[in-house]
């Protein structure tokens, strides 16, 4: 719902910011789930796309909240336009990073080929590296930021009469989130420094690692728009 209404809002933007790395016409995901790259997808289409990934890879619901945080952080930092032509790759990139922050079992990039069998691994690696660069390697998540997103999403679900079984993080989980995400941020920055110094390509291994707080998008505005 949040992604759908964000794209509807972006339709009004005249000078759209559409980096090529996220353009699906130039970098197709190579799956049978063909998306219309001209019209804003429906809530149902977005839900189906995400559900296939999360179900196939057995990713947790907490990972979905973190992916949304990364998507909104990307938009806030780069002013990128969330559009019918790029939403799938933007979402996919956020899911890749979120899975490495949260999932107990390491999720390798190659694992996602079970969802996108024709996906090129070099494209996947490039997408991950560019996503991290555009985020300025800011992938740490404070528990307070996660909580704000969690309760905003729960409010949206309640007002839209959507089932929302996810429970808030426990204190232990909050500590794990901050530790893991901070660890990933540190690791990503170290690899970037090494790459800049050696001028060689690098690969961020699937090792979980938390970021400074930042101003959140006004999710309350989206909540109001879900009530018809």
């Amino acid at each position: 719902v949040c992604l759908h209404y964000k794209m509807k809002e972006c339709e009004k933007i005249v000078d759209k910011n559409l980096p090529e790395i996220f353009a699906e016409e130039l970098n197709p995901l190579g799956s049978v789930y063909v998306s219309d790259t001209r019209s804003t997808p429906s809530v149902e289409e977005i839900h189906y796309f995400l559900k296939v990934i999360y179900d196939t890879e057995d990713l947790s619901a907490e990972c979905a909240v973190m992916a949304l945080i990364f998507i909104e952080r990307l938009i806030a930092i780069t002013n990128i336009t969330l559009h019918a032509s790029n939403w799938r790759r933007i979402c996919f990139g956020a899911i890749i990073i979120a899975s490495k922050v949260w999932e107990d079992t390491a999720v390798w990039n190659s694992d996602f080929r079970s969802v996108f069998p024709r996906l090129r691994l070099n494209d996947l690696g490039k997408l991950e590296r560019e996503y991290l660069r555009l985020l300025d390697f800011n992938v740490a998540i404070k528990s307070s930021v996660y909580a704000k997103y969690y309760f905003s999403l729960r409010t949206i679900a309640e007002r839209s009469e959507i089932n929302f079984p996810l429970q808030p993080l426990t204190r232990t989980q909050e500590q794990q989130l901050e530790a893991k995400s901070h660890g990933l941020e540190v690791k990503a920055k170290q690899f970037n420094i090494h790459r800049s110094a050696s001028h060689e390509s690098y690969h961020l291994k699937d090792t979980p690692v938390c970021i400074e707080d930042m101003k959140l998008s006004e999710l309350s505005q989206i909540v109001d728009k879900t009530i018809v």
Side-chain angles (χ1 to χ4, degrees):
V1 173
C2 295
L3 295 172
H4 172 77
Y5 281 102
K6 183 64 178 178
M7 277 186 271
K8 295 297 288 185
E9 289 178 354
C10 288
E11 289 179 355
K12 307 171 187 176
I13 299 175
V14 177
D15 297 323
K16 294 179 171 57
N17 179 16
L18 304 170
E20 290 187 356
I21 186 64
F22 298 115
E24 194 157 356
E25 291 182 345
L26 299 176
N27 306 286
L29 286 177
S31 77
V32 295
Y33 311 109
V34 179
S35 176
D36 183 350
T37 59
R38 294 166 295 180
S39 305
T40 296
S42 65
V43 172
E44 292 73 21
E45 183 180 356
I46 297 172
H47 176 263
Y48 177 73
F49 172 75
L50 297 176
K51 187 176 187 300
V52 168
I53 296 176
Y54 279 85
D55 287 353
T56 304
E57 299 303 324
D58 195 26
L59 301 177
S60 65
E62 290 86 356
C63 185
V65 178
M66 294 171 202
L68 179 59
I69 293 174
F70 291 141
I71 292 170
E72 294 226 317
R73 188 170 289 176
L74 177 73
I75 293 172
I77 293 175
T78 67
N79 199 34
I80 190 173
T81 305
L82 191 62
H83 185 264
S85 64
N86 64 18
W87 72 272
R88 298 206 315 166
R89 287 179 63 86
I90 288 177
C91 288
F92 188 36
I95 291 171
I96 292 173
I97 297 172
S99 69
K100 294 180 179 180
V101 168
W102 187 247
E103 299 301 328
D104 291 330
T105 303
V107 180
W108 297 88
N109 286 354
S110 57
D111 294 339
F112 288 102
R113 296 189 73 177
S114 59
V115 184
F116 308 108
R118 290 181 290 171
L119 183 67
R120 301 189 308 275
L121 289 181
N122 60 337
D123 173 43
L124 220 176
K126 183 179 179 181
L127 173 63
E128 179 187 1
R129 291 193 299 271
E130 188 64 9
Y131 213 114
L132 289 167
R133 186 189 70 79
L134 292 173
L135 285 174
D136 197 24
F137 304 95
N138 184 0
V139 295
I141 301 175
K142 291 184 177 180
S143 58
S144 59
V145 172
Y146 179 94
K148 289 178 182 179
Y149 273 86
Y150 169 84
F151 286 109
S152 294
L153 289 170
R154 193 170 77 174
T155 299
I156 292 173
E158 291 173 349
R159 295 188 181 185
S160 303
E161 298 183 349
I162 299 173
N163 182 39
F164 193 79
L166 180 63
Q167 297 297 312
L169 295 181
T170 64
R171 182 56 187 157
T172 299
Q173 289 176 320
E174 289 177 345
Q175 294 172 343
Q176 290 175 342
L177 169 63
E178 294 197 355
K180 287 182 176 181
S181 61
H182 178 70
L184 179 59
E185 179 171 310
V186 170
K187 192 175 185 68
K189 288 179 178 178
Q190 289 175 341
F191 270 107
N192 183 57
I193 292 173
H194 172 73
R195 183 192 185 205
S196 299
S198 64
H199 299 286
E200 295 177 356
S201 62
Y202 72 95
H203 174 67
L204 179 62
K205 295 183 180 179
D206 302 74
T207 304
V209 200
C210 214
I211 316 182
E212 297 177 24
D213 200 350
M214 61 176 291
K215 184 177 179 181
L216 298 176
S217 300
E218 296 296 331
L219 282 177
S220 57
Q221 297 178 6
I222 300 177
V223 172
D224 294 336
K225 291 181 180 180
T226 63
I227 308 172
V228 181

PDB file of all heavy atoms in Angstrom, residues 75-87:
ATOM      1  N   ILE A  75      15.286   7.027  -1.252  1.00  0.00           N
ATOM      2  CA  ILE A  75      14.546   8.144  -1.844  1.00  0.00           C
ATOM      3  C   ILE A  75      14.938   9.459  -1.182  1.00  0.00           C
ATOM      4  O   ILE A  75      15.133  10.482  -1.854  1.00  0.00           O
ATOM      5  CB  ILE A  75      13.028   7.910  -1.710  1.00  0.00           C
ATOM      6  CG1 ILE A  75      12.606   6.709  -2.568  1.00  0.00           C
ATOM      7  CG2 ILE A  75      12.244   9.155  -2.132  1.00  0.00           C
ATOM      8  CD1 ILE A  75      11.161   6.282  -2.365  1.00  0.00           C
ATOM      9  N   ALA A  76      15.070   9.443   0.161  1.00  0.00           N
ATOM     10  CA  ALA A  76      15.414  10.664   0.899  1.00  0.00           C
ATOM     11  C   ALA A  76      16.815  11.165   0.548  1.00  0.00           C
ATOM     12  O   ALA A  76      17.044  12.362   0.411  1.00  0.00           O
ATOM     13  CB  ALA A  76      15.300  10.412   2.401  1.00  0.00           C
ATOM     14  N   ILE A  77      17.760  10.241   0.382  1.00  0.00           N
ATOM     15  CA  ILE A  77      19.147  10.619   0.118  1.00  0.00           C
ATOM     16  C   ILE A  77      19.360  11.036  -1.329  1.00  0.00           C
ATOM     17  O   ILE A  77      20.062  12.011  -1.618  1.00  0.00           O
ATOM     18  CB  ILE A  77      20.102   9.456   0.475  1.00  0.00           C
ATOM     19  CG1 ILE A  77      20.094   9.208   1.991  1.00  0.00           C
ATOM     20  CG2 ILE A  77      21.527   9.752  -0.008  1.00  0.00           C
ATOM     21  CD1 ILE A  77      20.906   7.999   2.416  1.00  0.00           C
ATOM     22  N   THR A  78      18.757  10.311  -2.268  1.00  0.00           N
ATOM     23  CA  THR A  78      19.043  10.528  -3.696  1.00  0.00           C
ATOM     24  C   THR A  78      17.950  11.283  -4.448  1.00  0.00           C
ATOM     25  O   THR A  78      18.166  11.691  -5.592  1.00  0.00           O
ATOM     26  CB  THR A  78      19.238   9.180  -4.407  1.00  0.00           C
ATOM     27  OG1 THR A  78      17.983   8.469  -4.406  1.00  0.00           O
ATOM     28  CG2 THR A  78      20.299   8.351  -3.700  1.00  0.00           C
ATOM     29  N   ASN A  79      16.777  11.417  -3.826  1.00  0.00           N
ATOM     30  CA  ASN A  79      15.625  12.041  -4.497  1.00  0.00           C
ATOM     31  C   ASN A  79      15.218  11.256  -5.743  1.00  0.00           C
ATOM     32  O   ASN A  79      14.685  11.814  -6.702  1.00  0.00           O
ATOM     33  CB  ASN A  79      15.930  13.495  -4.879  1.00  0.00           C
ATOM     34  CG  ASN A  79      14.659  14.292  -5.142  1.00  0.00           C
ATOM     35  OD1 ASN A  79      13.630  14.065  -4.507  1.00  0.00           O
ATOM     36  ND2 ASN A  79      14.731  15.211  -6.093  1.00  0.00           N
ATOM     37  N   ILE A  80      15.473   9.958  -5.720  1.00  0.00           N
ATOM     38  CA  ILE A  80      15.081   9.104  -6.840  1.00  0.00           C
ATOM     39  C   ILE A  80      13.558   9.042  -6.934  1.00  0.00           C
ATOM     40  O   ILE A  80      12.850   9.140  -5.929  1.00  0.00           O
ATOM     41  CB  ILE A  80      15.663   7.686  -6.664  1.00  0.00           C
ATOM     42  CG1 ILE A  80      15.471   6.853  -7.930  1.00  0.00           C
ATOM     43  CG2 ILE A  80      15.050   6.976  -5.462  1.00  0.00           C
ATOM     44  CD1 ILE A  80      16.167   5.505  -7.871  1.00  0.00           C
ATOM     45  N   THR A  81      13.055   8.896  -8.140  1.00  0.00           N
ATOM     46  CA  THR A  81      11.616   8.799  -8.367  1.00  0.00           C
ATOM     47  C   THR A  81      11.204   7.339  -8.383  1.00  0.00           C
ATOM     48  O   THR A  81      11.688   6.564  -9.208  1.00  0.00           O
ATOM     49  CB  THR A  81      11.224   9.449  -9.711  1.00  0.00           C
ATOM     50  OG1 THR A  81      11.694  10.795  -9.745  1.00  0.00           O
ATOM     51  CG2 THR A  81       9.702   9.443  -9.881  1.00  0.00           C
ATOM     52  N   LEU A  82      10.328   6.951  -7.464  1.00  0.00           N
ATOM     53  CA  LEU A  82       9.797   5.590  -7.465  1.00  0.00           C
ATOM     54  C   LEU A  82       8.768   5.503  -8.574  1.00  0.00           C
ATOM     55  O   LEU A  82       7.753   6.201  -8.562  1.00  0.00           O
ATOM     56  CB  LEU A  82       9.166   5.264  -6.111  1.00  0.00           C
ATOM     57  CG  LEU A  82       8.797   3.797  -5.863  1.00  0.00           C
ATOM     58  CD1 LEU A  82      10.047   2.917  -5.896  1.00  0.00           C
ATOM     59  CD2 LEU A  82       8.094   3.643  -4.523  1.00  0.00           C
ATOM     60  N   HIS A  83       9.038   4.638  -9.554  1.00  0.00           N
ATOM     61  CA  HIS A  83       8.284   4.670 -10.807  1.00  0.00           C
ATOM     62  C   HIS A  83       7.991   3.246 -11.270  1.00  0.00           C
ATOM     63  O   HIS A  83       8.624   2.289 -10.829  1.00  0.00           O
ATOM     64  CB  HIS A  83       9.127   5.426 -11.847  1.00  0.00           C
ATOM     65  CG  HIS A  83       8.468   5.655 -13.162  1.00  0.00           C
ATOM     66  ND1 HIS A  83       8.667   4.824 -14.251  1.00  0.00           N
ATOM     67  CD2 HIS A  83       7.612   6.627 -13.568  1.00  0.00           C
ATOM     68  CE1 HIS A  83       7.963   5.284 -15.274  1.00  0.00           C
ATOM     69  NE2 HIS A  83       7.316   6.368 -14.893  1.00  0.00           N
ATOM     70  N   ALA A  84       7.025   3.139 -12.167  1.00  0.00           N
ATOM     71  CA  ALA A  84       6.658   1.826 -12.700  1.00  0.00           C
ATOM     72  C   ALA A  84       7.839   1.139 -13.365  1.00  0.00           C
ATOM     73  O   ALA A  84       7.906  -0.099 -13.392  1.00  0.00           O
ATOM     74  CB  ALA A  84       5.512   1.975 -13.704  1.00  0.00           C
ATOM     75  N   SER A  85       8.794   1.903 -13.852  1.00  0.00           N
ATOM     76  CA  SER A  85       9.941   1.332 -14.564  1.00  0.00           C
ATOM     77  C   SER A  85      11.065   0.872 -13.637  1.00  0.00           C
ATOM     78  O   SER A  85      11.994   0.200 -14.091  1.00  0.00           O
ATOM     79  CB  SER A  85      10.506   2.361 -15.544  1.00  0.00           C
ATOM     80  OG  SER A  85      11.024   3.486 -14.849  1.00  0.00           O
ATOM     81  N   ASN A  86      11.005   1.230 -12.363  1.00  0.00           N
ATOM     82  CA  ASN A  86      12.135   0.897 -11.489  1.00  0.00           C
ATOM     83  C   ASN A  86      11.754   0.309 -10.132  1.00  0.00           C
ATOM     84  O   ASN A  86      12.638  -0.089  -9.369  1.00  0.00           O
ATOM     85  CB  ASN A  86      13.020   2.132 -11.270  1.00  0.00           C
ATOM     86  CG  ASN A  86      12.301   3.261 -10.542  1.00  0.00           C
ATOM     87  OD1 ASN A  86      11.266   3.061  -9.900  1.00  0.00           O
ATOM     88  ND2 ASN A  86      12.843   4.464 -10.638  1.00  0.00           N
ATOM     89  N   TRP A  87      10.466   0.252  -9.814  1.00  0.00           N
ATOM     90  CA  TRP A  87      10.069  -0.132  -8.454  1.00  0.00           C
ATOM     91  C   TRP A  87      10.501  -1.552  -8.085  1.00  0.00           C
ATOM     92  O   TRP A  87      10.888  -1.808  -6.944  1.00  0.00           O
ATOM     93  CB  TRP A  87       8.561   0.022  -8.264  1.00  0.00           C
ATOM     94  CG  TRP A  87       7.700  -0.988  -8.978  1.00  0.00           C
ATOM     95  CD1 TRP A  87       7.227  -0.897 -10.251  1.00  0.00           C
ATOM     96  CD2 TRP A  87       7.203  -2.223  -8.448  1.00  0.00           C
ATOM     97  NE1 TRP A  87       6.472  -1.998 -10.565  1.00  0.00           N
ATOM     98  CE2 TRP A  87       6.432  -2.833  -9.472  1.00  0.00           C
ATOM     99  CE3 TRP A  87       7.323  -2.884  -7.229  1.00  0.00           C
ATOM    100  CZ2 TRP A  87       5.805  -4.074  -9.304  1.00  0.00           C
ATOM    101  CZ3 TRP A  87       6.692  -4.115  -7.063  1.00  0.00           C
ATOM    102  CH2 TRP A  87       5.939  -4.691  -8.086  1.00  0.00           C
TER     103      TRP A  87
END
